Amino acid sequence: MKTIKKQKEIHFRNNFRIYWNSLKNYKPLLYTCIIITLILEGIALLDNYFLKVIIDNGTSYSSSLISQNEYINIILIIAVAFVLASILKTILKWASIHLLNRLDGFTMADLKQKLFNHLVNLSHRFHNNHKPGSLISRLDRGSSAMENMNDFIIFYTLPLIFQFILVTVALAYFDWVSAVIVVITILLFVLYSFYLQNVQQSANIKLNQVEDLEKGIIGDTFTNIDSIKYFGKESNIKGKYSRLSDNTRDAMIKLWDYFRWISAGQGLILAVGTFILLFFSIKRFLSGDISIGTIVFIYTSYGNIFDMLYNFVYGVKGFYYSMANFETLFKYYKIKNEIKNKPNAKDLIIRQGGIEFKNVYFEFKTRKIFTNFNLKINKNEKIAIVGHSGSGKTTLIKLLYRFYDVTRGEILIDGKDIKDYKQESLRSELSIVPQECVLFNDTIYNNILFSRSDATKKEVLEAIKFAQMDKILNRFPLREYTLVGERGAKLS
C-alpha cells in the first residue's frame, strides 16, 4: 500500500486539475460570477472617466471656452450616467455575492463528501496508520481551501487582469508613457510577489504537517481521556502536547516571517513606480501634452490597480496556502484500497453459516502469522479460540471480515470463497461484539439499529429485551432514545 511521505514541493498542476474538476458541475454558476465581476470592473473604470470629463470641462469653463449652461448640461449627463451605473453596480454586487455563496457552499460540500467517501472506503490497514484527528484536520483545511481558491479566481485574479487590460488600453490612448510605466510597475510587483510566495511553499507544507501531528494528539487525548485520568498521566500528556504545540508555533512564525520581505519589496516597487509616474505625467502636463483631467484619470486608475494589487497579493497568499492544503489532502486520492472486490462480485447471503479456513497462509509485513492453517466451524457450532497475546486470534477475525486478504488459501462461508462477494455484503451478514466498547454519540436505539438499518422498531425492542436491557432502560426518562455520549461515556 502506498503511504503519504513528507515532501517540500506542491504539485500545482495536479492540484489545480482536481480543483477544476470539482467545479465541472457548477461551471454555469462560475462563469456567471466571472462575467458579473468583469462588468463591475468596467463600471469602476467608468467612474474615473466621469471625473476626468468633469475636471477637463471645468477647466474649459474657468477659461471661458464653454458657457455655464454647457458645463451644467455636461454635469447633469454625467450625474444621470453615474446614478444609473451605481444602481447597476449595487444590483450586480448583490448578485455576485449571492451566486458566489452558492458556488462556495456546493463545491465545499462536494469536495468533503468525495474525500470522506474515499477515506471511508480505504482499508483497515490505512486507518490503523492514520490518526483520526489528522484526517479531520486535512479534510477541514481542504474544504476551506476550495472557498479560498474560488475567491482568488473571482475576486482577486480576474478583476486584476481585466482592470490591468482596461487601464493599459485607456492610458495608452491618453498617454502612452504613463501606460508603459504602469505596466512595468505592475509586472515587477506581481513577479516579485509570486517569487517569494513560491519560495515559502516548503514552509507552508511543514506547517501543515506539524499542525496535523498536533491535532492528532488532541484527538487521541480527548478520545482516551478516561485512561489518561485513570493512570494519572495528565502531566505527561501536557508535556507531549506542549512540545508539539511549540513545533507548530515555530513553523507558523517561520512561514509568517516571509511576509517581511514580501511587504518591504512590494512597498519599494510601488514607491519607485509612483515616483516615476508622477515625474513623467507632470512633465508632460507642463509641456501641454496632457490635460489636468488626464492626470487625474491616470492617478485614479493607477490607485484602483494599486488597491487591487494588494488584494491580489493577499489572494496569492491564500492561493499558495490553499494549494498546500490541497497537497496534503489530494494525496489520499493516490491511495487505493488494497482489498478489492472482483469485477463481477455479488452480494453474499448466508444460508447455513458454516465457516472454513482452508490451507490459509498470512503474513503481516515480515511476520508470518498463519502457515497452512485449517479450521472448520459447522452450522450452529460454538467454538473458543484461545492463545497468548499476538498469536493471531484477532487477526483471524479480521481475515474473516476481509480487513486483510490471505496470502494463500481460502476462507469459505457455506462453501463459497468470501473473495467472490462484495466486502460490504459480507460484513453486513456477520455480527461481532468487539473487545472495546464502540458506540456512536447517538441514541441507544440508533446504535442498536446501526448493524441492520432496515430493522423494524419491534425488532430493535426485541433485541433490547434479549440483551436484558429493557429493565435498565425503564429507569431512563427517554428510554431507548437516551443519548449515550462520545464512545458511550454517559453509560456505565
Side-chain angles (χ1 to χ4, degrees):
M1 182 186 72
K2 294 180 181 179
T3 57
I4 294 178
K5 297 179 180 178
K6 292 183 179 180
Q7 61 175 53
K8 294 184 178 181
E9 293 185 356
I10 299 172
H11 298 89
F12 290 96
R13 180 179 296 179
N14 180 64
N15 293 343
F16 192 81
R17 177 182 58 80
I18 297 175
Y19 160 75
W20 188 251
N21 286 337
S22 300
L23 292 174
K24 65 183 179 181
N25 293 328
Y26 307 104
K27 285 182 180 177
L29 194 57
L30 173 67
Y31 294 149
T32 304
C33 287
I34 291 172
I35 292 170
I36 291 175
T37 301
L38 298 184
I39 293 173
L40 286 170
E41 294 309 315
I43 294 174
L45 188 63
L46 192 62
D47 291 343
N48 298 337
Y49 179 72
F50 289 159
L51 186 60
K52 175 190 179 319
V53 172
I54 290 173
I55 291 174
D56 281 344
N57 282 278
T59 303
S60 298
Y61 169 69
S62 63
S63 302
S64 301
L65 297 176
I66 62 173
S67 67
Q68 187 181 61
N69 287 336
E70 287 177 311
Y71 186 51
I72 290 173
N73 288 335
I74 291 171
I75 291 176
L76 289 175
I77 292 170
I78 294 295
V80 171
F82 177 77
V83 169
L84 293 175
S86 298
I87 293 172
L88 179 60
K89 186 161 55 176
T90 301
I91 295 171
L92 291 177
K93 279 187 176 181
W94 185 92
S96 176
I97 295 173
H98 175 82
L99 295 174
L100 186 60
N101 287 343
R102 279 140 188 82
L103 181 66
D104 287 342
F106 290 142
T107 53
M108 288 171 70
D110 282 0
L111 180 67
K112 286 192 292 185
Q113 290 170 20
K114 187 176 181 180
L115 265 297
F116 179 84
N117 293 343
H118 179 72
L119 292 172
V120 167
N121 281 331
L122 290 179
S123 68
H124 177 74
R125 193 193 303 264
F126 169 85
H127 289 284
N128 272 349
N129 293 329
H130 292 81
K131 292 183 177 180
S134 296
L135 295 179
I136 294 169
S137 171
R138 294 184 180 192
L139 192 60
D140 181 61
R141 285 203 311 261
S143 63
S144 297
M146 178 65 74
E147 178 186 11
N148 291 334
M149 281 295 295
N150 292 341
D151 289 348
F152 173 70
I153 292 173
I154 295 172
F155 284 149
Y156 303 127
T157 305
L158 291 176
L160 177 63
I161 293 172
F162 189 62
Q163 191 73 243
F164 174 72
I165 294 171
L166 285 179
V167 169
T168 301
V169 171
L171 290 182
Y173 177 78
F174 291 116
D175 180 34
W176 68 269
V177 175
S178 297
V180 170
I181 295 169
V182 169
V183 168
I184 293 174
T185 302
I186 291 173
L187 289 177
L188 286 175
F189 185 96
V190 171
L191 290 174
Y192 176 78
S193 302
F194 265 112
Y195 170 74
L196 280 187
Q197 292 285 1
N198 192 56
V199 168
Q200 73 175 29
Q201 64 175 286
S202 59
N204 214 332
I205 291 180
K206 176 64 177 177
L207 175 59
N208 284 351
Q209 290 169 345
V210 295
E211 275 188 338
D212 289 341
L213 290 173
E214 180 186 341
K215 290 178 180 177
I217 191 176
I218 291 174
D220 280 351
T221 298
F222 294 121
T223 298
N224 299 291
I225 191 68
D226 285 351
S227 297
I228 293 168
K229 291 187 175 294
Y230 278 137
F231 290 94
K233 295 298 181 183
E234 288 93 339
S235 296
N236 181 276
I237 287 294
K238 288 175 185 177
K240 189 174 181 180
Y241 177 72
S242 178
R243 289 189 294 273
L244 290 174
S245 179
D246 288 346
N247 290 340
T248 303
R249 176 202 62 203
D250 295 341
M252 197 176 291
I253 291 174
K254 183 177 180 180
L255 176 63
W256 290 347
D257 278 348
Y258 280 98
F259 186 72
R260 300 172 302 180
W261 295 101
I262 295 174
S263 179
Q266 289 168 349
L268 180 62
I269 291 169
L270 287 176
V272 172
T274 303
F275 175 80
I276 295 173
L277 182 65
L278 180 67
F279 176 80
F280 279 98
S281 60
I282 291 177
K283 183 180 178 182
R284 288 176 63 78
F285 169 71
L286 293 175
S287 63
D289 294 329
I290 59 175
S291 67
I292 188 68
T294 300
I295 290 181
V296 171
F297 178 78
I298 290 170
Y299 279 98
T300 51
S301 300
Y302 180 68
N304 287 349
I305 292 186
F306 186 99
D307 292 337
M308 293 182 70
L309 280 173
Y310 275 109
N311 289 336
F312 176 72
V313 170
Y314 176 80
V316 169
K317 181 181 178 181
F319 167 79
Y320 275 89
Y321 188 62
S322 297
M323 281 293 170
N325 291 336
F326 282 155
E327 185 69 26
T328 54
L329 184 62
F330 290 166
K331 290 187 73 67
Y332 288 127
Y333 277 131
K334 299 178 182 179
I335 302 175
K336 305 300 180 184
N337 195 340
E338 61 193 66
I339 311 299
K340 300 186 185 329
N341 291 326
K342 288 184 176 180
N344 299 316
K346 300 178 180 179
D347 289 331
L348 175 65
I349 299 177
I350 297 177
R351 304 293 183 186
Q352 301 297 320
I355 298 172
E356 182 177 5
F357 290 79
K358 190 174 181 180
N359 303 323
V360 168
Y361 289 77
F362 180 68
E363 296 177 3
F364 188 78
K365 296 181 179 178
T366 59
R367 181 183 167 215
K368 292 183 178 179
I369 298 179
F370 295 113
T371 303
N372 198 26
F373 177 81
N374 289 275
L375 172 65
K376 189 170 185 179
I377 306 170
N378 297 317
K379 174 186 175 182
N380 296 328
E381 185 177 4
K382 296 179 183 179
I383 68 164
I385 301 171
V386 182
H388 59 79
S389 179
S391 62
K393 303 185 299 297
T394 302
T395 303
L396 196 68
I397 302 303
K398 289 181 178 179
L399 288 173
L400 177 63
Y401 272 78
R402 280 199 75 194
F403 286 175
Y404 307 111
D405 273 338
V406 298
T407 308
R408 283 162 51 194
E410 296 176 305
I411 300 177
L412 310 174
I413 295 180
D414 290 343
K416 300 170 185 176
D417 193 333
I418 60 174
K419 286 186 179 181
D420 294 334
Y421 297 90
K422 294 178 183 177
Q423 298 169 54
E424 279 197 47
S425 70
L426 163 69
R427 293 163 190 163
S428 65
E429 288 289 287
L430 303 173
S431 294
I432 186 170
V433 179
Q435 298 177 69
E436 298 180 1
C437 174
V438 180
L439 292 172
F440 293 96
N441 188 8
D442 204 337
T443 63
I444 294 172
Y445 182 92
N446 286 338
N447 271 282
I448 294 171
L449 191 67
F450 180 75
S451 64
R452 262 194 61 202
S453 56
D454 60 341
T456 64
K457 182 173 182 178
K458 180 180 178 182
E459 289 173 321
V460 172
L461 295 177
E462 286 176 353
I464 289 173
K465 188 174 182 179
F466 183 78
Q468 299 181 25
M469 290 174 57
D470 51 328
K471 294 181 180 178
I472 298 172
L473 294 185
N474 285 334
R475 304 174 189 171
F476 298 159
L478 299 178
R479 292 179 51 80
E480 65 270 17
Y481 297 109
T482 301
L483 287 171
V484 303
E486 192 79 25
R487 296 174 65 87
K490 293 183 179 180
L491 300 179
S492 171

